[in-house]
Amino acid sequence: MKINFRRLMFGLPMGVLLAGGLYILVVSVLHLRAESQIRLPSKEDQRYAEQFQKRNWGLFSEERYQSVDKKAKLIGVIETRLPPTLRIESRLYLVNSGKTQQISNFSGWNRQSHRKSIDNLLSRGIELPLVLYDYDVTLEEGHSSKCISAVRAYGTRQNGGGGGWEYKPFKREMERTYLGKLDLDQEYLVYVRGDSEFRADREMTMTEFSKTNPGNYLVVTVKLVSR
């Protein structure tokens, strides 16, 4: 059966055609105006870390361990006009003496409605708190201590993520959050915590970071991508 798309299109009500055209226009403008940046958390923002202090996001089974001490740290807040067609990705890396391993990742998109995304064109947009979770666990066998860490962005609808890898604890002497604009399709280094001083900038790759810094670190990156 051959379909006449021209006749089908002109047979649609004018309101449907106008609504479709408006939607395409708004989504295009939202892409152009998807201004995003990461800032330091305020006192009011701390409620997000407190709200999720006791959750483990299904990363691991607590029955494996003799004890679990949970901590949640709000490392930054992403301010964005993130439309439904863009996705936020965050990764957590463990760096040990120049070797890099990804131990957690998160992927999600703006869970606001299309209508609210349109409203964001005339507002400051939405805020997505970025939370780093630390779990100090004691294994039943041998009573040795381990750490499990994960990163999550509150306020997004998750469509992927993982974590739950154990690693040997190290001192948490130095930490720094890297602030600034987040351009589309660019992975930015946004947070570093380690046992010694480090040299880094927000556009540094993980390969460059591990070569430059020989200590032990947790590194969080963020990327906004089209989906």
Side-chain angles (χ1 to χ4, degrees):
M1 178 180 178
K2 187 175 181 180
I3 300 176
N4 190 324
F5 288 99
R6 180 177 296 181
R7 180 177 297 177
L8 179 63
M9 182 181 69
F10 285 104
L12 292 173
M14 182 59 66
V16 174
L17 294 175
L18 290 175
L22 179 60
Y23 173 78
I24 294 173
L25 175 62
V26 168
V27 169
S28 300
V29 174
L30 280 169
H31 269 286
L32 293 175
R33 295 199 58 185
E35 302 168 359
S36 304
Q37 65 175 354
I38 187 164
R39 63 168 175 80
L40 290 174
S42 65
K43 290 184 178 180
E44 291 75 17
D45 295 324
Q46 294 300 328
R47 68 185 187 275
Y48 296 109
E50 296 169 0
Q51 183 176 357
F52 292 101
Q53 177 77 26
K54 301 302 181 182
R55 297 187 61 175
N56 73 6
W57 296 87
L59 294 171
F60 59 92
S61 174
E62 294 189 26
E63 288 75 16
R64 290 187 55 212
Y65 304 101
Q66 188 179 55
S67 64
V68 178
D69 181 23
K70 304 176 184 180
K71 301 181 181 69
K73 179 179 178 60
L74 183 59
I75 60 177
V77 178
I78 299 172
E79 294 180 338
T80 182
R81 289 188 175 92
L82 191 68
T85 50
L86 292 183
R87 186 177 73 250
I88 179 174
E89 294 181 353
S90 184
R91 294 180 173 87
L92 175 63
Y93 296 92
L94 174 66
V95 179
N96 287 122
S97 303
K99 298 181 180 179
T100 302
Q101 178 186 6
Q102 180 180 307
I103 60 174
S104 177
N105 67 290
F106 175 87
S107 178
W109 65 91
N110 178 7
R111 67 181 181 189
Q112 306 287 344
S113 66
H114 286 65
R115 176 62 187 174
K116 288 184 179 180
S117 293
I118 294 174
D119 293 339
N120 284 339
L121 283 169
L122 303 176
S123 70
R124 66 175 184 172
I126 60 174
E127 296 179 340
L128 304 173
L130 194 62
V131 181
L132 176 63
Y133 294 91
D134 290 312
Y135 308 94
D136 296 326
V137 300
T138 302
L139 302 178
E140 293 182 1
E141 60 276 9
H143 302 286
S144 59
S145 296
K146 295 286 186 179
C147 284
I148 298 174
S149 297
V151 62
R152 292 291 183 268
Y154 176 76
T156 59
R157 181 182 290 118
Q158 182 177 353
N159 70 333
W165 287 273
E166 300 172 356
Y167 62 93
K168 186 178 179 180
F170 55 85
K171 293 182 180 180
R172 304 166 186 179
E173 300 286 346
M174 312 293 297
E175 65 176 347
R176 191 173 303 136
T177 298
Y178 293 85
L179 312 177
K181 184 179 178 182
L182 301 174
D183 290 326
L184 188 65
D185 295 324
Q186 170 72 42
E187 185 173 25
Y188 291 97
L189 187 153
V190 297
Y191 178 79
V192 179
R193 183 176 71 202
D195 61 359
S196 58
E197 186 58 76
F198 51 85
R199 291 189 295 122
D201 62 72
R202 59 195 305 267
E203 296 185 5
M204 179 179 281
T205 66
M206 287 307 304
T207 299
E208 293 170 336
F209 181 90
S210 60
K211 288 182 178 180
T212 305
N213 301 285
N216 300 299
Y217 307 95
L218 288 179
V219 182
V220 178
T221 66
V222 166
K223 182 179 181 181
L224 301 181
V225 298
S226 301
R227 68 178 180 93

